[in-house]
Each structure stands twice: as C-alpha cells, then as structure tokens.
Amino acid sequence: QVQLMESGGGSVNSGGSLRLSCVVSGDTYTPHCMAWFRQAPGEEHEAVATVDSIGQTSYTDSAKGRFTISRDVAQSTLYLQMNSLKPEDTAMYYCALTYRSYLSFDGSLSPAYWPHWGQGTQVTVSP
C-alpha cells in the first residue's frame, strides 16, 4: 500500500516562498505520475502541477512562472517550490499519485484521476 506524506507548509507574507515536500513509501518501483493539488475553504480541489514518470511537467495557469514541481526519484520525494506567493494561494496542499507512465492532460486535472493522496499541508499567505 503506497503512502504519501506532505510537509513544508506554513504561514508567509505575500511575496514569500515555501517549498513543499511529499515523501512516498510503499511501491515506488512501478512507474507512476504525481501531482500537487490544493483546496481552499469552500472550494473544490484544484490541480496545481503534475509530473509524469519520465519527468515531464505541466502547470495550471495559477502556477505558471511561480511554482516548480520536481521529483527526487532516489529519495522517493516530490517537491513544489512556490515563489512570489499571493494571498489567493492560501489553501491545503495535497500530493497525489497514480500508477501510470504518462498523463492525459485534461484527465489529470481531475481529482478522480488520482487514486492515492496524502493528508495535506496548510499554506497560508498574508497580505
């Protein structure tokens, strides 16, 4: 059974930076893709960024130019470097995993595409 554990959230001022981490345990050998989602209070889960099994990345408009998704395969860890944070980035951030080699761009934006999730880490950005 795969498990995902996020860390690195916190409170920052607008314009600040945070680096989120997600450690994967269990089956890390089967090719898999990973993603970061976020959920603000009263809102749906929103995709932020994805990375496939060979390292190809994609970002939603809210993340482009400010966030960078990366993965350390040897450490079984996924990262999200977030710069120039804005108050509207305030949310619970989740990592997610699916055992596929490649992603369908449109499909991967839906939470239903991702069967495995972490518990989340809170990010709060003050004006």
Side-chain angles (χ1 to χ4, degrees):
Q1 180 72 21
V2 65
Q3 292 185 323
L4 289 71
M5 179 68 72
E6 302 94 336
S7 62
S11 297
V12 297
N13 293 326
S14 183
S17 297
L18 284 173
R19 187 194 197 201
L20 306 184
S21 299
C22 172
V23 176
V24 182
S25 59
D27 181 5
T28 59
Y29 297 100
T30 301
H32 56 276
C33 304
M34 298 197 70
W36 287 100
F37 279 77
R38 66 186 183 186
Q39 185 177 29
E43 301 289 332
E44 301 286 329
H45 281 85
E46 176 194 15
V48 175
T50 65
V51 60
D52 69 14
S53 65
I54 60 171
Q56 299 179 106
T57 59
S58 67
Y59 299 88
T60 55
D61 289 344
S62 62
K64 284 179 182 176
R66 298 189 300 128
F67 295 0
T68 303
I69 188 171
S70 62
R71 62 193 303 180
D72 183 330
V73 175
Q75 298 296 322
S76 299
T77 303
L78 179 74
Y79 300 101
L80 185 68
Q81 177 66 45
M82 303 188 296
N83 299 327
S84 303
L85 283 162
K86 306 174 183 179
E88 51 264 44
D89 295 317
T90 294
M92 185 73 79
Y93 283 71
Y94 299 89
C95 64
L97 181 151
T98 182
Y99 287 108
R100 305 169 191 251
S101 295
Y102 303 104
L103 294 170
S104 158
F105 177 73
D106 289 341
S108 66
L109 298 180
S110 168
Y113 194 84
W114 302 88
H116 304 287
W117 292 78
Q119 294 299 307
T121 186
Q122 178 67 38
V123 171
T124 302
V125 185
S126 302

